[in-house]
Amino acid sequence: MAEATFRVFRGDKNGGEEVEYTVPVTEGMVVLDVIHHIQGYTDPDLACRWNCKAAKCGSCSAEVNGKPSLMCKTRLDHLPLDRPVTVHPLKAFPVIKDLATDVSWNFEVNKKIKPFTPKPDTDWVMYQPDVERAQEFRKCIECFLCQNVCHVLREHDKHDNFIGPRFLVRVASLEMHPLDNGNRLEYLKDEAGIALCNITKCCTEACPEEIHITDNSIIPLKERVVDEYYDPLMRLLRKFFGKK
Amino acid sequence: MEKFETHEYDVIIIGAGGAGLRAAIEASNKGCSTAIVCKSLLGKAHTVMAEGGVAAAMGNMEGEDNWKTHFCDTIRGGKFMNNWRMAELHAKEAPDRIRELEQWGAVFDRTPEGKINQRPFGGHTHKRLCHVGDRTGLELIRTLQDKGVHSGIDVYMECTVSQLLKDGEKVSGALAYWRETGRFVVFKAKAIIICTGGLGRAYKITSNSWECTGDGIGLAYEAGAELLDAEFVQFHPTGMVWPPGVQGILVTEAVRGEGGILRNSEGFRIMEKYDPERMELSTRDVVAKAIYHEVKGGRGSEHGGMYLDISHRPAEYIKKKLPSMYMQFMELADVDITKGPMEVGPTTHYTMGGIRVEPETAATRVPGLYAGGEAAAGMHGANRLGGNSLSDLLVFGRRAGLSAAEHAQGLSAAPTVDAGQIEDAANSALEPFNSKEGDDPYAIHRDLQDNMQDYVGIMRSEDDLKKGIDGLEQIKQRLKTVRTDGSRPFNPGWHLALELRAMVVISEAIARGALQRKESRGAHTRLDYPETDAETYGKINSIAAKSGKDMDVSTAPLPQMPDELKKLLEDK
Ligand SMILES: Cc1cc2nc3c(=O)[nH]c(=O)nc-3n(C[C@H](O)[C@H](O)[C@H](O)COP(=O)(O)OP(=O)(O)OC[C@H]3O[C@@H](n4cnc5c(N)ncnc54)[C@H](O)[C@@H]3O)c2cc1C
Ligand code: SF4
Ligand code: SF4
Ligand code: FES
């Protein structure tokens, strides 16, 4: 049977190192299968997160050969197996142990976003073309791969000033809900730090759900912020014609 | 004894799937201090994987749909084993629970008139499943999660409960440990609701996520609750069969709902033989057995399943209505489902059995202990209809939250937690670290899965079940000395060692319930008793409860529905 070599990061917040494992390769195998094989036959205490094994829960994010990926969706036959494959935890978050990182910051950010606020007296009639914009953003499985690749968080560590692409998508899903009446523009400008995004689109490329993070959520949100705070004519018009 | 943190609440919910979140929202809404404890991150519970939809007789597509038809479909699908009152409450309350979700921000697919769209599903007379493409569970969990975090509920995530604590007869709290550090946490509570989901991981081929190890069912059993009808385990007809790594992963029934056709290796449309009237939209038990027979008869697909084909539908339509199926097959199996068929076969999917509860209050027989969602039993009888689980989570999650809150508010003083009990529970959880000689938990788990798959699977017989029960005895013995290497922080081997305790309990309840039920009904098929026996087994539920150190398996009379409901079933 064919074999492949993996170098998996083992360690915790105090540091660690790559440990080499050789595993048998079967048809259609994914990187998460490799991790399970290591747990099941070699090192039962190798830590990693996973739930669905079907790219639906966003738990198994890691960096495979340096590329942020869902391990359950990364096929071995798409990797060069003539040399060792590296598997590391996400870089933008502190390591807990091995492949598990501390992503709790994301949950704190989410709490601060103003929840869905329905228009008063709505009859709840919505049409498919109108809900589709919000639905695109609601596909997010919170894998945090976009947060991991965004240089504002990854290189500049601006976790206190910037909510990251995932939560800009979240805000967009609320702002573009046809019946939402909440106003999140001040939040976007100040706390969320939307101006820190300089539209590099790395987040969009990383998204396993193929959400057009930059084009469909961040740019329209930026435009709304600009309209609200920096464009006197638009502000005047809106005064006469209502919010959205 | 090491130091541990202690937290006190009126109501504690174990599990953050649809049922747990809905229960917590209700308890908190009633003014109770409320916490959720869950073993994964928030939003990752198994519910997130639900695809096809949530059933509710809204009548948006076909005006004549109503609760009565939904009730009759549920009872017929459950082969008359359902708790009639639960089925009635479920059918009546599901539409309100859907409207409420929409008001909390859920964005369902729409009809041309702007109402919530509903799709057909197996066993449902009308188009009844509200959905969001094929990611309905994600929508449900995100909506509830968001509502929950803004309702003042505390969430303890990646915190695993290993034992319930009691004050005399009453439940008084739980011992848990943080996965991150391996350190213990004590929760004190006036009421506890178990919403820990299913048990598919006791089987080798399953659609279930890693969490589905039956923990809560085991916890409730150990605390004195009864288990009901454990033998009814649903094998979903369409799991992936190839490549090996993805075996068991679900292919949503929505594929058939959207017109998918099942063919054998000879190109024959198999349901013409097994259920010509309903065809692919027959109930899951029927379709799963049809596939089993075709494969046994040598007419299986290349990798031992059936062909499921939706490619006659326009490619754009498929990508829109079944986007995650399209991706799943494209990326994991190199199959383009807009161009050719998928290969599918049965996979362990859902437990109809579980914790026995009162139909209206979700109360177990242990005072202060409640259960909801997949962990609770009764609603679905011998076979669950697709879409009826998500609605069950909402209807009975809410009810469990409500009655736990009332119970908590009715107590004059909080029950006490006993230090000795906590210490025993902690020591018991640490036992695997003290074992030097025993087996590795992964090895034991593999053997358990093989044992259940081979002897307590989709087709059962007395001989096999007895072999399965013997096998379980050996596994139980090995589990006594299970060995964990490494240290306590984030140690999956240790985690599995503790999960195995629950898996062994539920496996035994399934196997012994199956041995006791000498008939075939719904998901439970006995090769040696192929007929349904309305006279004897049609009138009894099976019960498993702890007596001393052992499991006692017995029967209880199935509650009989009032005449006006019986008449509904006769009329249709
Ligand atoms: C692939 C798939 C697709 C499905 N599609 C549909 C569908 O379209 N329609 C439908 O109606 N049904 C569907 N189902 C069934 C349905 O999804 C499940 O029955 C339902 O989601 C179970 O929800 P729950 O709230 O009971 O538990 P779960 O969602 O399973 O949540 C269990 C919770 O308990 C926690 N937990 C477990 N043990 C412990 C412990 N020891 N300590 C602390 N926390 C613990 C977990 O962390 C988790 O938060 C599907 C199932 C699968 C597998
Ligand atoms: S586009 Fe903006 S949010 Fe996305 S990665 Fe670049 S800077 Fe970050
Ligand atoms: S937006 Fe995409 S990449 Fe970011 S968390 Fe969601 S699914 Fe992951
Ligand atoms: S395990 Fe769920 S996304 Fe990989």
Side-chain angles (χ1 to χ4, degrees), chain A residues 27 40 44 46 49-51 53 56-57 73 75 97 111 113 124 126 128 132 135 138 141-142 170, chain B residues 40 44 51 107 109-110 114 139 146 150 158 209-210 242 245 249 328 331-332 334 489-490 492-493:
Chain A
E27 197 173 340
L46 168 60
R49 288 198 182 94
W50 72 284
N51 281 55
K53 210 178 171 293
K56 294 195 168 70
C57 73
K73 210 174 130 173
R75 295 260 301 257
K97 186 181 154 199
K111 278 188 199 159
I113 297 174
W124 300 101
M126 290 184 262
Q128 190 61 33
E132 262 163 29
Q135 283 183 330
R138 298 181 68 87
I141 55 174
E142 299 207 321
R170 170 90 196 130
Chain B
S40 293
K44 310 292 184 198
E51 294 161 356
V107 186
D109 286 355
R110 318 305 295 182
E139 188 68 21
D146 220 49
H150 291 106
E158 297 199 319
S209 81
W210 79 271
W242 187 260
I249 293 182
Q328 184 172 312
E331 282 170 10
L332 300 177
D334 300 322
F490 224 116

Side-chain angles (χ1 to χ4, degrees), chain B residues 325-400:
Chain B
M325 281 307 107
Y326 174 74
M327 271 215 316
Q328 184 172 312
F329 273 90
M330 203 62 159
E331 282 170 10
L332 300 177
D334 300 322
V335 170
D336 181 347
I337 67 169
T338 66
K339 299 214 171 80
M342 310 159 230
E343 275 188 81
V344 295
T347 180
T348 312
H349 185 58
Y350 184 86
T351 172
M352 276 71 73
I355 303 166
R356 188 184 197 189
V357 290
E358 289 295 325
E360 301 194 6
T361 60
T364 69
R365 72 171 180 184
V366 179
L369 186 64
Y370 299 78
E374 192 172 340
M379 160 67 206
H380 306 284
N383 173 60
R384 172 176 72 88
L385 295 186
N388 267 3
S389 168
L390 293 183
S391 42
D392 165 2
L393 309 181
L394 298 171
V395 168
F396 294 102
R398 174 181 157 278
R399 284 183 161 270

Side-chain angles (χ1 to χ4, degrees), chain B residues 299-338:
Chain B
R299 296 177 295 278
S301 66
E302 190 183 347
H303 300 104
M306 280 295 114
Y307 294 108
L308 174 62
D309 196 357
I310 183 83
S311 63
H312 50 279
R313 288 287 214 157
E316 278 320 304
Y317 183 84
I318 296 171
K319 286 186 203 168
K320 189 151 192 178
K321 281 299 192 182
L322 302 163
S324 79
M325 281 307 107
Y326 174 74
M327 271 215 316
Q328 184 172 312
F329 273 90
M330 203 62 159
E331 282 170 10
L332 300 177
D334 300 322
V335 170
D336 181 347
I337 67 169
T338 66

Side-chain angles (χ1 to χ4, degrees), chain B residues 413-428:
Chain B
T416 53
V417 296
D418 173 64
Q421 237 182 70
I422 296 172
E423 191 165 341
D424 289 348
N427 287 338
S428 155

